[in-house]
Amino acid sequence: MGSLNEVELVLFSIITLIILENLFEVYIALRQVKVFKTANKVPEELKDHMSDETFHKARKYGLDREQFGICKCLLMDICVIPLELYFGLMAYMWQAALYWVKYFKLNADNEIIVSCFFVVLISLHGYLKDLPFKLYATFVLEQKHGFNKQTVRFFIWDQVKGLLVGNILTILVSAAVVFIVQWGGEHFFIYLWVFAGVLSLILLTIYPIFIAPLFDKYTPLEEGELRTSIEKLAASLKFPLTKLYVVEGSKRSSHSNAYFYGLWNSKRIVLFDTLLLNKGKKDITDLKDEDKGKGCTNEEVLAVLGHELGHWKLGHVTKNIVIMQINLLLIFFTFNYLFKYAPFYEAVGFAPGVKPILVGLFVVLSYVMAPYNAILGYAMTILSRRFEYQADEFAQKLGFSQKLSQALIKLNLDNLGFPIHDWLYSSWSHSHPTLLQRMHRLQELDEADKKKK
């Protein structure tokens, strides 16, 4: 049992770290807000593509989103979460879990059973806290700027499915984690690491096949010029393409995307219908006026996929998985040495001697390792931006430079992306280089190729 001063030191150190980290996030967000308010001219590089009207729409959209994010951070992360810690919310949740375990006449001495009830209660609490912000973001902010496509009925059903699937997975994983820690002895962190690695590979495999279709409709890309071109590109790069899908993302949002997934020799490419010109439809009579003309041409879609396949060819996915596994080993190793430290539990409201494994894991990972997580997050952002430049260069070498630039501009316009950013905000927050940075880099590569000739 830690002394009262030691417990208080732990509690107030955690609260101080949370407040300082989020104040920094607010600070850099305010820097970007200043940019939104003061940048009034379309950059020279985009004057032929972006009208003043679109520029100001993007500025207003970006400003609304950033101000919303700041308000949410101030209220939830700087006020509510420290208060929850101070008043011992997790300990109350644990007691509530014990109550329900006894109510259903289950074994209250079995930590695995209690932990399963605990994670469900924590999940529901977090969901209810976030729901007003989610509703505002979807039906006010996104609706105001023309991006929300969800009906209230679709939103409710989507949330129900998300809660059910999320809680089922959380219960299974939590039960396994508690069992491994109890069973694994002094070196449980190694078994926990192996479990996490196997689980991540399983989820990477089954999520797109079995879980993602519960939320969105996936259909094979119809035969035609685009499909033939994609298959030829994949074959030329020896990309083991087995399936090519279009996801009906337009029922959720008008934002665009494309990605691939799958392990080893079974890869699948997914295109959002919003990425395709006129949602990929030949007959556009049923399209709303605001959707007509949006999206990328076949050549531009191919350029985007050239970039995405560059990530695969250059091993970026594998490198990220390796980094994730090394990080997990370090996290579990740290947890192994810290989770028995009594003041961590007493600081968040537990009685002396009560040390639930999941609570210890949450406190160590989320709060004790917060400075490390922030540094790692920034390092991964830097690495991600480097990977994006490399993938752009790969697409450029395939001859897609011009079409990729056009696609990036078009996607930026369709998504009302604001092209001007504060340097600190961008370097800290953006996993991708900005539109102008990517355009400049592609131009530099083209000019370098011309000089070689």
Side-chain angles (χ1 to χ4, degrees), residues 11 15 18-19 75-87:
L11 175 60
I15 290 175
I18 291 171
I19 292 174
L75 179 61
M76 302 305 297
D77 300 327
I78 295 178
C79 294
V80 173
I81 290 178
L83 287 172
E84 288 177 347
L85 285 168
Y86 182 79
F87 288 108

Side-chain angles (χ1 to χ4, degrees), residues 94-115 117 182:
W94 187 262
Q95 289 301 316
L98 282 169
Y99 168 81
W100 285 109
V101 169
K102 292 174 183 176
Y103 180 83
F104 288 109
K105 295 181 170 52
L106 300 172
N107 184 5
D109 294 325
N110 188 320
E111 188 174 339
I112 293 176
I113 295 175
V114 181
S115 295
F117 278 82
Q182 291 177 335

